[in-house]
Amino acid sequence: MQLGYVTDDIDAAASYLESRLGTVDCVRHYKSSLGGGRPPGSAGAGGPRAPFVVVDGEPADEWVIDVALVNAGPTNLEIIRPVGGAVDLYRGAVRPDVPATLHHLGFRVDDFEEASAVVAASGRTWKQYGDSGGIRFGYLDMTAELGHFVEVMELDEASAQGFAHLEAASNAVRDGELA
């Protein structure tokens, strides 16, 4: 469902998609943070979801990125600019002086716990995982085998609607409904 890119200039990368690839305007989010939260313990199960991110097995106290999102038909294009904290997963793939670099392929799953069990059964661990409050996600490091990460996402209803809105905006332009 998603092609994820990294960049050192979120506005230049978004402008590149808009002007050179003909996408609609990217939706930009600056200084998105998941740092400081902690994964729920067994005692906290069933309570409200609080945002957190775990990187290399350790909860991140600081984790800040800029994000631009747009769709090309059904495929979401995500651009991430690492800003601060435990964001080396993104920073290490940035190539200076290019609009964006492929970083990950994103796949939607119905059950993140089930996906995590599959990852564990394969003898692997998530390089990074977390919960934005609307998206439970994990990155599997496949850079040695495939040259990129694989992201797995479980979306809540509001997040699924957000991605559907991006797709509808892309399709409206393609179908000639918007100028």
Side-chain angles (χ1 to χ4, degrees):
M1 75 170 269
Q2 183 182 75
L3 299 175
Y5 295 89
V6 293
T7 187
D8 58 1
D9 186 333
I10 197 75
D11 292 319
S15 293
Y16 180 84
L17 292 182
E18 295 161 357
S19 66
R20 296 297 203 92
L21 299 182
T23 69
V24 297
D25 290 346
C26 295
V27 176
R28 296 174 182 146
H29 304 279
Y30 297 96
K31 298 200 184 329
S32 298
S33 176
L34 296 179
R38 296 294 182 256
S42 57
R49 290 169 51 181
F52 72 90
V53 65
V54 173
V55 179
D56 292 325
E58 295 293 325
D61 289 324
E62 182 183 1
W63 185 96
V64 182
I65 61 173
D66 291 338
V67 179
L69 299 166
V70 69
N71 269 47
T75 304
N76 178 256
L77 306 175
E78 175 184 50
I79 307 167
I80 296 172
R81 182 180 82 90
V83 175
V87 293
D88 287 345
L89 179 125
Y90 307 112
R91 188 175 284 120
V94 170
R95 294 181 304 150
D97 302 320
V98 298
T101 300
L102 181 67
H103 179 265
H104 65 269
L105 303 182
F107 298 88
R108 183 176 179 182
V109 297
D110 293 329
D111 186 335
F112 186 76
E113 293 303 322
E114 186 177 310
S116 295
V118 170
V119 167
S122 73
R124 293 181 174 259
T125 59
W126 295 119
K127 178 72 173 166
Q128 172 176 285
Y129 70 94
D131 189 330
S132 71
I135 302 173
R136 296 174 70 195
F137 65 92
Y139 284 86
L140 191 58
D141 186 350
M142 301 294 294
T143 55
E145 302 94 326
L146 303 176
H148 56 78
F149 289 88
V150 171
E151 182 183 16
V152 173
M153 298 171 271
E154 175 189 313
L155 309 178
D156 71 2
E157 186 59 33
S159 296
Q161 289 176 0
F163 281 109
H165 176 74
L166 292 170
E167 181 178 351
S170 171
N171 291 340
V173 169
R174 193 176 65 219
D175 293 339
E177 294 175 21
L178 298 176

